[in-house]
Amino acid sequence: QVQLVESGGGLVQAGGSLRLSCAASGRTFSNYIMGWFRQAPGKEREFVAAISWSSSLRDYADSVKGRFTISRDNAKNTVYLQMNSLKPEDTAIYYCAASRLPILSRSPIQYDAWGQGTQVTVSS
C-alpha cells in the first residue's frame, strides 16, 4: 500500500493561487493513477482532478477546468495540484488519492489509498 502526505494548503484571497503537493512512499508510485478530491463542510467528497501514470491522460471536474492543473513527478514520487484564480467555493479539505486501476476514475471508491488532507480556505 502506498502512503500519501499532502502539503501546501492555507488561506488565500479570492483570485489567488496555491500549489498542493502530495508525497508518496511505499509501493511503486508510478504504477498508480493519482487523483485529487475535496470535501467542504456538510458536503460529500467530490472529484477534482486525476492523472495517469505517464501524465498522458488528465481529467478535471468542470468546476475547476481551466483554473487547476494536475501534474506528477515520478522521480520524486510526488503529485501536484496548481490552483489558480481561486474562488471562495473552492474552500475545502483537499485529499490526494492513489488508484491501481488502469484507467482514470472520478469515483472515490476506486481509490485504494488516501492522504490525511490539507485545508484550503479562500476568502472573498
Side-chain angles (χ1 to χ4, degrees), residues 43-57:
K43 295 187 177 181
E44 292 187 353
R45 192 167 297 190
E46 66 172 358
F47 170 79
V48 175
I51 188 168
S52 63
W53 68 270
S54 66
S55 301
S56 60
L57 297 175

Side-chain angles (χ1 to χ4, degrees), residues 6-11 17-22 81 83 118-120:
E6 302 97 334
S7 61
L11 173 64
S17 298
L18 282 174
R19 187 174 84 153
L20 305 184
S21 299
C22 174
L81 186 68
M83 306 186 295
T118 185
Q119 177 72 48
V120 171

Side-chain angles (χ1 to χ4, degrees), residues 3-7 21-25 36 78-79 96 114-118:
Q3 290 80 45
L4 305 172
V5 179
E6 302 97 334
S7 61
S21 299
C22 174
S25 61
W36 285 97
T78 302
V79 62
C96 73
W114 293 83
Q116 83 289 348
T118 185

Side-chain angles (χ1 to χ4, degrees), residues 15-85:
S17 298
L18 282 174
R19 187 174 84 153
L20 305 184
S21 299
C22 174
S25 61
R27 297 284 188 172
T28 304
F29 174 73
S30 60
N31 290 345
Y32 288 82
I33 299 290
M34 297 300 297
W36 285 97
F37 291 78
R38 66 187 182 186
Q39 189 166 17
K43 295 187 177 181
E44 292 187 353
R45 192 167 297 190
E46 66 172 358
F47 170 79
V48 175
I51 188 168
S52 63
W53 68 270
S54 66
S55 301
S56 60
L57 297 175
R58 307 181 198 210
D59 187 26
Y60 296 94
D62 288 346
S63 58
V64 306
K65 198 171 294 184
R67 299 188 298 122
F68 291 11
T69 302
I70 188 171
S71 61
R72 66 190 295 165
D73 185 338
N74 289 339
K76 295 183 178 180
N77 288 354
T78 302
V79 62
Y80 305 98
L81 186 68
Q82 178 66 44
M83 306 186 295
N84 298 329
S85 302

